[in-house]
């Protein structure tokens, strides 16, 4: 991205809301944060979420059936590598469409190769020190620019009709609108928009894919948990042979949701920046001067022993606990947070309200922040949740899977603390076979 294009981002102090921040002098034609944030909110949280979820279900099914896993055991050297290609392809096709990968079949692998060396860019190492990093970035940018040109040329005159969100060239209305908004912002050009899209694709894929893989590992790692999750998924299954699930029911299963939330608590290690360019901000008894940057670390919040319930040290915050976010009305010591943080108005804490266990994040405001918070919270948080839940449901419905790590559970480590999610410190070998009840054709009749 040129210095001129980057300067538009640096100088936009108007904020992501429709009404600019008080004191901002950013011209409306240069409000790049508002333009991009609005399209993401609309496409990922509002009207675009339902059709995005439908595409996710379809692409997940196609990817699963395309794996070619048969009824006999097949061994693979690494579950992370398996997920990178399988789920990485699914995510890109869901959000950005199939045209990008049709034009560049190796894009997903190139993206993961880039991810493996991207920290050298964060360290601002020059090209002669890390030529491969710059070469991979240049290759990915060329792929994206070619896709942009193809989509721009072929989508001329194409408009979504009614609630139709799919776009055969851009993937969906959100991506097309986002491209138009960026190109329409003063100071931006095709090169800068390609750079912005690379950042968007990279951050989306390389965060949700390892998180989804970790959810599956934690599910498989405890036989009792796995059995309960398998039963929960069965309750939300509309058709096993067609790999069709009721997403609403999946999102109501307490243990599955607790596993999801604990996977993010345990695994997400990012810095969340906040900046008030024109006014001082008072937090408690401290005042932060204007135009200063605040940095919040999720790991510190996610391991705050004063907030999180450890059942008197039985389940320390440094360890994974599948049932951490479950409230059991019959167990006063259950729940994610310490007693002083429990919100008594929450029906989940009312033992007389129900005898059923419940999933809850009440009392964790500011303590469970894998997506940030407030108006700046990640717009893709609901889609990420559905990707994680659906991929786990699909894998344990379609396949028998066994981790081949012996008696040792996979260890997770912060390979780039503060800039991503925890991943296994070593390869996770596994074996897999198709379950007998499943069909061989994703489009066949039951």
């Amino acid at each position: 991205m040129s210095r001129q294009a980057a300067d538009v981002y640096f100088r936009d102090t108007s904020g992501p809301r429709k009404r600019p921040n008080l004191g901002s002098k950013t011209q409306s034609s240069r409000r790049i944060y508002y333009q991009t944030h609005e399209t993401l909110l609309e496409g990922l949280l509002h009207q675009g979420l339902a059709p995005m979820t439908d595409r996710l279900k379809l692409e997940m099914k196609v990817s699963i059936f395309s794996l070619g896993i048969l009824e006999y055991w097949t061994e693979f050297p690494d579950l992370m590598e398996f997920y990178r290609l399988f789920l990485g392809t699914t995510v890109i096709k869901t959000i950005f469409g199939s045209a990008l990968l049709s034009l560049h079949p190796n894009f997903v692998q190139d993206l993961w190769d880039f991810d493996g060396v991207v920290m050298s860019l964060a360290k601002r190492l020059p090209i002669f020190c890390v030529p491969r990093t710059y070469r991979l970035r240049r290759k990915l940018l060329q792929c994206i620019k070619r896709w942009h040109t193809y989509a721009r040329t072929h989508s001329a005159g194409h408009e979504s009709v009614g609630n139709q969100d799919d776009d055969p060239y851009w993937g969906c209305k959100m991506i097309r609108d986002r491209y138009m908004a960026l190109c329409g912002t003063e100071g931006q050009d095709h090169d800068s928009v390609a750079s912005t899209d690379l950042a968007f694709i990279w951050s989306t894929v390389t965060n949700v894919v390892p998180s989804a893989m970790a959810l599956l590992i934690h599910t498989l790692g405890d036989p009792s948990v796995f059995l309960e999750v398998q039963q929960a998924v069965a309750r939300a299954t509309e058709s096993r042979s067609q790999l069709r699930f009721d997403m609403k029911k999946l999102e109501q299963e307490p243990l599955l949701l607790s596993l999801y939330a604990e996977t993010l608590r345990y695994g997400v290690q990012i810095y969340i920046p906040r900046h008030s360019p024109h006014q001082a901000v008072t937090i408690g008894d401290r005042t932060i001067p204007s135009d200063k940057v605040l940095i919040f670390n999720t790991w510190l919040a996610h391991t705050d022993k004063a907030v999180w319930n450890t059942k008197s040290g039985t389940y320390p915050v440094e360890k994974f606990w599948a049932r951490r976010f479950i409230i059991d009305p019959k167990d006063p010591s259950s729940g994610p947070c310490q007693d002083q943080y429990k919100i008594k108005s929450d029906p989940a804490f009312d033992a007389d309200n129900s005898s059923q266990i419940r999933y809850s994040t009440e009392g964790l405001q500011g303590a469970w922040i894998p997506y940030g918070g407030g108006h700046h919270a990640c717009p893709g948080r609901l889609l990420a949740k559905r990707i994680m839940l659906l991929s786990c449901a699909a894998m344990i419905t379609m396949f028998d899977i066994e981790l081949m790590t012996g008696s040792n559970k996979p260890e997770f480590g912060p390979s780039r603390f503060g800039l991503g999610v925890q991943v296994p410190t070593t390869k996770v070998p596994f074996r897999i076979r198709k379950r007998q009840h499943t069909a061989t054709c994703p489009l066949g009749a039951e």
Side-chain angles (χ1 to χ4, degrees):
M1 184 182 295
S2 68
R3 184 178 297 273
Q4 178 185 3
D7 193 56
V8 176
Y9 288 90
F10 294 140
R11 294 183 179 276
D12 182 6
T13 62
S14 64
R17 300 178 185 271
K18 185 174 183 178
R19 176 178 293 181
N21 289 333
L22 186 66
S24 174
K25 297 181 180 179
T26 303
Q27 300 175 2
S28 59
S29 61
R30 298 174 73 88
R31 292 197 63 197
I32 197 162
Y33 284 132
Y34 169 68
Q35 294 289 346
T36 54
H37 195 67
E38 279 298 298
T39 57
L40 293 177
L41 286 178
E42 187 64 27
L44 295 173
L45 281 179
H46 301 149
Q47 289 189 3
L49 180 60
M52 188 79 75
T53 302
D54 290 339
R55 283 194 301 277
L56 171 64
K57 291 179 179 179
L58 175 62
E59 296 298 344
M60 185 76 69
K61 181 169 66 173
V62 171
S63 293
I64 286 283
F65 279 91
S66 298
L67 290 172
I69 304 297
L70 301 177
E71 288 83 357
Y72 53 83
W73 287 112
T74 302
E75 296 183 3
F76 287 88
D78 187 18
L79 185 61
M80 183 72 249
E81 188 64 27
F82 182 88
Y83 252 69
R84 281 174 173 172
L85 297 179
F86 140 66
L87 192 56
T89 299
T90 301
V91 172
I92 287 181
K93 286 187 174 181
T94 296
I95 302 174
F96 305 95
S98 59
L100 173 58
L101 299 188
S102 296
L103 291 168
H104 307 286
N106 295 325
F107 185 87
V108 176
Q109 184 60 60
D110 290 338
L111 183 68
W112 286 111
D113 289 344
F114 176 67
D115 179 66
V117 295
V118 72
M119 289 304 294
S120 59
L121 292 179
K123 297 175 183 177
R124 302 179 69 85
L125 296 177
I127 188 171
F128 68 85
C129 292
V130 285
R132 182 168 180 262
T133 303
Y134 284 84
R135 185 166 59 249
L136 283 167
R137 184 177 66 173
R138 183 167 59 250
K139 181 179 180 181
L140 289 169
L141 288 173
Q142 289 171 346
C143 292
I144 292 173
K145 287 169 66 176
R146 184 185 174 199
W147 165 53
H148 284 171
T149 301
Y150 173 85
R152 189 172 62 247
T153 302
H154 288 79
S155 66
H158 175 84
E159 295 290 342
S160 295
V161 179
N163 292 327
Q164 182 182 340
D165 186 78
D166 293 356
D167 187 299
Y169 311 107
W170 295 103
C172 64
K173 180 178 181 296
M174 177 191 72
I175 297 301
R176 186 180 70 238
D177 290 350
R178 183 175 182 273
Y179 176 84
M180 297 303 179
L182 286 168
C183 287
T185 302
E186 186 179 332
Q188 300 302 295
D189 54 28
H190 294 311
D191 289 339
S192 66
V193 176
S195 295
T196 304
D197 263 3
L198 174 56
F200 183 25
I201 295 170
W202 170 78
S203 61
T204 299
V205 174
T206 61
N207 280 303
V208 74
V209 170
S211 296
M213 184 271 306
L215 174 59
L216 180 65
I217 286 180
H218 294 310
T219 301
L220 297 174
D222 186 321
S224 64
V225 168
F226 173 72
L227 180 60
E228 287 187 50
V229 170
Q230 203 172 41
Q231 294 169 346
V233 170
R235 289 191 291 269
T237 302
E238 297 176 336
S239 169
R240 290 187 299 178
S241 63
Q242 293 299 295
L243 212 58
R244 193 165 62 241
F245 302 97
D246 185 325
M247 184 59 70
K248 185 175 181 181
K249 288 184 179 180
L250 272 182
E251 292 179 319
Q252 293 175 344
E253 289 292 341
L255 181 56
L256 190 57
L257 291 175
S258 181
L259 278 160
Y260 152 78
E262 178 70 349
T263 296
L264 296 185
R265 182 203 70 83
Y266 181 73
V268 174
Q269 298 178 336
I270 59 174
Y271 293 113
I272 301 174
R274 291 293 182 263
H275 176 226
S276 179
H278 305 293
Q279 294 178 312
V281 176
T282 299
I283 303 177
D285 59 351
R286 301 293 181 92
T287 298
I288 310 300
S290 62
D291 205 27
K292 297 295 182 181
V293 176
L294 283 74
I295 299 291
F296 301 89
N297 183 272
T298 59
W299 181 246
L300 297 178
H302 290 174
T303 56
D304 188 345
K305 297 177 182 179
V307 175
W308 291 94
N309 178 18
T310 65
K311 281 208 167 185
S312 301
T314 304
Y315 303 102
V317 293
E318 297 85 6
K319 299 295 184 179
F320 188 93
W321 177 23
R323 305 177 195 275
R324 194 180 298 273
F325 289 79
I326 286 181
I327 303 285
D328 184 350
K330 299 177 182 178
D331 181 4
S333 66
S334 66
C337 56
Q338 301 281 3
D339 288 342
Q340 63 267 33
Y341 291 97
K342 292 180 178 178
I343 299 176
K344 302 303 181 181
S345 60
D346 179 7
F349 290 100
D350 185 358
D352 297 326
N353 180 70
S354 173
S355 61
Q356 302 296 315
I357 64 170
R358 299 169 182 267
Y359 161 79
S360 178
T361 58
E362 292 293 336
L364 298 177
Q365 289 79 0
W368 187 74
I369 49 174
Y371 300 110
H375 191 71
H376 294 271
C378 174
R381 56 190 180 273
L382 293 185
L383 179 62
K385 176 182 178 182
R386 293 180 177 184
I387 291 171
M388 292 176 65
L389 297 182
L390 189 61
S391 61
C392 182
M395 290 294 286
I396 67 175
T397 298
M398 187 69 182
F399 306 117
D400 293 320
I401 310 168
E402 292 183 3
L403 302 181
M404 300 173 63
T405 55
S407 59
N408 300 319
K409 292 184 178 181
E411 294 288 335
F412 288 78
S415 61
R416 49 190 184 197
F417 186 86
L419 294 173
V421 300
Q422 289 202 88
V423 296
T425 55
T426 59
K427 291 184 177 182
V428 181
F430 70 103
R431 66 176 188 168
I432 186 172
R433 68 182 179 188
K434 188 170 71 172
R435 298 182 69 186
Q436 293 300 314
H437 65 255
T438 54
T440 57
C441 176
L443 302 179
E446 282 191 64

